[in-house]
Amino acid sequence: MILECFIFTVITFLVTETQCQATEVFAEEGSGAVLPCKTNSLSLIPAAIVWSKANKGTVWRKQKSGLQYWGASWLKSGSEGTRVRCPHSQFERGDYSLQINRVTEEDGGVYSCSVELDNRVVEEVVILRIIKVTVSPSVPIWGQDVSVTCDVTPWPYGLSVQWILNNSPFESQGQIISDRDVTKSVVRQKATARLTGNWSCAVSIRGKMGRASATVSVKGIIQPSDDNTKVYAAVGSSVVLPCVFSTGLIPSSPVWDKLKPGSHFNPAPGLLPRSFSPVSPLSQFAWDRSASLKEVAFDNEGRYRCSGIVQGQRQTRTMQLVVAKIESNILSKKKGSLMLTCQLSDTSEVTDYEWVRVTYDPNGTQSFETIQKGNKLSISVSEEIQGEWTCRFYGRGGILGNVTHHIQLMSGLSGQKSTRSSYNTAAVVGLSFLLVVLLLILAQMYKNHQRRKRILQYPALETIVHSISNEREEKERSRIKK
Ligand SMILES: *[C@@H]1O[C@H](CO)[C@@H](O)[C@H](O)[C@H]1NC(C)=O
Ligand SMILES: *[C@@H]1O[C@H](CO)[C@@H](O)[C@H](O)[C@H]1NC(C)=O
Ligand SMILES: *[C@@H]1O[C@H](CO)[C@@H](O)[C@H](O)[C@H]1NC(C)=O
């Protein structure tokens, strides 16, 4: 009966479900496999055991006398002897399972176990399926086509395959490709950082599960991992523009560009800002090509691109520098009120603003006091306002950055003064104008007075002058009459 079942299984295992109960065993290539063969009856009498593989003959057998034999193909491996064994210690418990170490694809197939006890023969059929995950190319460069393949040898009809990347199911499932007698599941993707990690192929059939995994590490620019990543910086601060290649991957001809605005598809490099430095104070390794801006100005905002050549392929990464500043305005309507406005060169990722007042106790310990939400803050200059006023801005994933406005004691007072001085100046100007006018009037009056005095000294002269003028007037009148 066992022989029939065995032959039947060998013939049909690729085509249909086997009729007799063959045990499914999955093993990842390179790992160990245990092919179960158990009897219910315990026996102290040594049994004759035969493990054989379909089309390959005997794997291992033991005679009642205790002599062991290995199949020729299982004896090859060198000093360690053989990869298969059937531990005696388990025999007493009726366990005649076969252990195979470091399984290979060739080990996949149908095995049978035959145990001769007293006058009974116990038979088992086991199908060993080897799972293997391969990545091609083994170290993909960013942007290359990469394929992750799951091979199961032999591949059973109706096998379900699930791809798992870093412990979560991979969204776009692999395709199952059947090509004549080779069946496999393949995931094809453009290599990005997202593909980096532990890829597992979880297979199951008739309640039995197996799994194999492989690590994918995509080489290229690993930080930032995506194009158009936003980097936030406050005006006047220094900022690092990250551009880190995979560890040990040293790019040739690294270049930084600032891209002209509006050129999304075919970016034209523009001029780099003056405070730009192609090295970052933090970078220590040749694969860290991060750059820095020593002192960010508001118009330094925009898109930057770093690139370098790796294995003949240019790797590029773009990022956007978003600059934050605080505008401070004295409100003319509300006297003595200062309006702080938090401004960002790009607010597309910003969901929330928060104003925080930073104060220092005599020990120099910072303390934060949240004042309000929103990008505008109105503070009364009559209060004690010196210190740091920080605007924190948040995105969906949490804080994006902050920008601080310093109102120092001196500038605070002068700020107060300047608000007042603007009114004072007007008054002073007005007053001085009045004073000047008054002085001018006085001067004129004095002049007139002096002249009169002089004229009175010569009364005769005055009469003459007077009569002359009278004469002229009469002449005029007579002319009009004519
Ligand atoms: C990958 O994940 C599997 C299980 O999810 C684990 O057994 C294996 O050790 C992991 N491999 C690596 C290289 O992390
Ligand atoms: C400053 O430090 C001293 C000792 O370290 C402590 O006793 C004191 O309370 C601190 N003052 C403040 C305002 O935190
Ligand atoms: C602003 O950001 C800097 C750097 O991340 C941080 O050290 C500082 O505490 C922040 N200030 C506030 C008020 O959140």
Side-chain angles (χ1 to χ4, degrees):
M1 185 251 168
I2 176 69
L3 194 68
E4 278 164 18
C5 176
F6 182 45
I7 291 166
F8 182 73
T9 308
V10 169
I11 294 166
T12 59
F13 79 93
L14 282 171
V15 190
T16 54
E17 286 191 25
T18 50
Q19 296 299 305
C20 57
Q21 278 308 98
T23 310
E24 297 275 353
V25 172
F26 287 106
E28 180 170 8
E29 194 193 42
S31 71
V34 176
L35 312 190
C37 181
K38 286 172 189 171
T39 61
N40 300 329
S41 53
L42 307 178
S43 167
L44 294 175
I45 303 155
I49 310 152
V50 181
W51 268 104
S52 49
K53 190 183 177 206
N55 308 326
K56 292 279 165 67
T58 304
V59 177
W60 173 87
R61 73 186 166 86
K62 188 179 85 70
Q63 290 179 342
K64 269 193 178 138
S65 63
L67 280 172
Q68 293 181 57
Y69 300 90
W70 278 270
S73 57
W74 298 91
L75 270 174
K76 277 177 206 158
S77 40
S79 57
E80 278 186 47
T82 176
R83 290 192 293 122
V84 289
R85 63 190 216 104
C86 200
H88 291 243
S89 52
Q90 306 292 322
F91 291 173
E92 279 177 23
R93 289 181 221 163
D95 187 350
Y96 303 93
S97 302
L98 184 73
Q99 296 178 359
I100 310 177
N101 296 327
R102 304 183 302 281
V103 293
T104 64
E105 269 183 295
E106 287 74 48
D107 295 343
V110 182
Y111 291 76
S112 74
C113 146
S114 170
V115 182
E116 206 186 309
L117 290 160
D118 303 338
N119 45 12
R120 285 194 315 128
V121 176
V122 176
E123 297 128 350
E124 288 281 345
V125 176
V126 178
I127 305 175
L128 174 63
R129 302 189 191 274
I130 309 299
I131 322 169
K132 184 175 80 170
V133 175
T134 43
V135 183
S136 171
S138 57
V139 181
I141 297 287
W142 187 288
Q144 266 183 343
D145 287 314
V146 60
S147 59
V148 189
T149 307
C150 183
D151 289 294
V152 176
T153 316
W155 185 288
Y157 176 79
L159 181 77
S160 82
V161 181
Q162 164 85 70
W163 280 101
I164 295 155
L165 171 57
N166 298 327
N167 297 324
S168 44
F170 188 67
E171 297 146 21
S172 83
Q173 289 291 325
Q175 266 185 302
I176 292 179
I177 296 163
S178 290
D179 182 17
R180 295 198 179 183
D181 36 31
V182 181
T183 306
K184 50 193 173 185
S185 173
V186 184
V187 176
R188 283 202 180 85
Q189 295 275 315
K190 279 256 181 279
T192 61
R194 255 186 282 281
L195 301 193
T196 293
N198 188 352
W199 280 82
S200 288
C201 169
V203 296
S204 69
I205 188 160
R206 294 190 281 277
K208 286 278 176 163
M209 284 178 283
R211 177 182 272 235
S213 45
T215 307
V216 174
S217 68
V218 177
K219 299 268 181 178
I221 299 168
I222 52 167
Q223 198 198 343
S225 58
D226 279 310
D227 271 338
N228 292 320
T229 299
K230 288 185 173 64
V231 177
Y232 291 86
V235 160
S237 69
S238 65
V239 66
V240 170
L241 298 175
C243 182
V244 183
F245 286 75
S246 303
T247 306
L249 196 68
I250 299 166
S252 57
S253 19
V255 181
W256 272 97
D257 299 302
K258 185 172 195 283
L259 304 178
K260 280 178 184 153
S263 50
H264 259 280
F265 294 105
N266 191 11
L271 276 178
L272 287 164
R274 207 171 280 168
S275 76
F276 179 89
S277 159
V279 289
S280 150
L282 301 174
S283 56
Q284 297 174 343
F285 303 105
W287 49 88
D288 184 352
R289 310 307 307 193
S290 301
S292 61
L293 285 167
K294 287 190 194 77
E295 203 180 326
V296 176
F298 197 69
D299 63 1
N300 291 160
E301 61 93 16
R303 291 169 68 228
Y304 291 77
R305 180 178 66 185
C306 96
S307 65
I309 294 169
V310 174
Q311 290 179 18
Q313 238 180 324
R314 182 162 283 280
Q315 301 283 312
T316 64
R317 184 72 72 244
T318 61
M319 64 209 76
Q320 188 185 346
L321 178 66
V322 180
V323 182
K325 67 171 177 184
I326 291 180
E327 288 256 301
S328 134
N329 288 305
I330 290 156
L331 294 183
S332 50
K333 278 183 192 166
K334 268 163 81 187
K335 266 188 211 169
S337 184
L338 198 63
M339 176 67 94
L340 301 183
T341 311
C342 195
Q343 283 189 353
L344 271 80
S345 60
D346 184 303
T347 56
S348 58
E349 272 183 0
V350 180
T351 55
D352 220 348
Y353 298 87
E354 180 185 57
W355 286 94
V356 173
R357 181 157 189 202
V358 187
T359 45
Y360 298 86
D361 68 10
N363 288 356
T365 321
Q366 268 187 329
S367 53
F368 302 113
E369 183 196 349
T370 304
I371 308 293
Q372 67 173 63
K373 299 251 179 207
N375 74 327
K376 286 186 195 303
L377 174 72
S378 169
I379 46 178
S380 169
V381 287
S382 57
E383 293 167 18
E384 285 278 295
I385 60 158
Q386 72 268 22
E388 296 175 12
W389 297 81
T390 299
C391 166
R392 286 179 181 155
F393 36 94
Y394 294 84
R396 283 219 188 86
I399 192 157
L400 297 170
N402 71 45
V403 54
T404 299
H405 186 68
H406 295 263
I407 304 178
Q408 272 146 21
L409 193 59
M410 288 309 292
S411 72
L413 284 179
S414 69
Q416 277 191 57
K417 264 182 192 159
S418 70
T419 38
R420 250 176 237 156
S421 73
S422 60
Y423 302 112
N424 288 354
T425 330
V428 167
V429 167
L431 271 173
S432 0
F433 182 72
L434 267 174
L435 215 83
V436 168
V437 168
L438 235 123
L439 274 171
L440 280 173
I441 289 168
L442 274 173
Q444 195 60 43
M445 277 168 74
Y446 180 72
K447 255 195 210 160
N448 287 352
H449 179 74
Q450 287 295 84
R451 204 174 59 183
R452 247 186 231 148
K453 249 196 195 165
R454 245 183 285 140
I455 287 167
L456 286 175
Q457 277 175 0
Y458 312 102
L461 198 66
E462 196 186 20
T463 334
I464 292 163
V465 173
H466 210 165
S467 63
I468 287 172
S469 67
N470 282 357
E471 237 173 88
R472 199 181 292 158
E473 267 172 41
E474 258 162 52
K475 268 184 195 168
E476 295 272 300
R477 258 182 234 142
S478 61
R479 205 187 297 158
I480 291 163
K481 271 175 192 168
K482 278 172 195 173

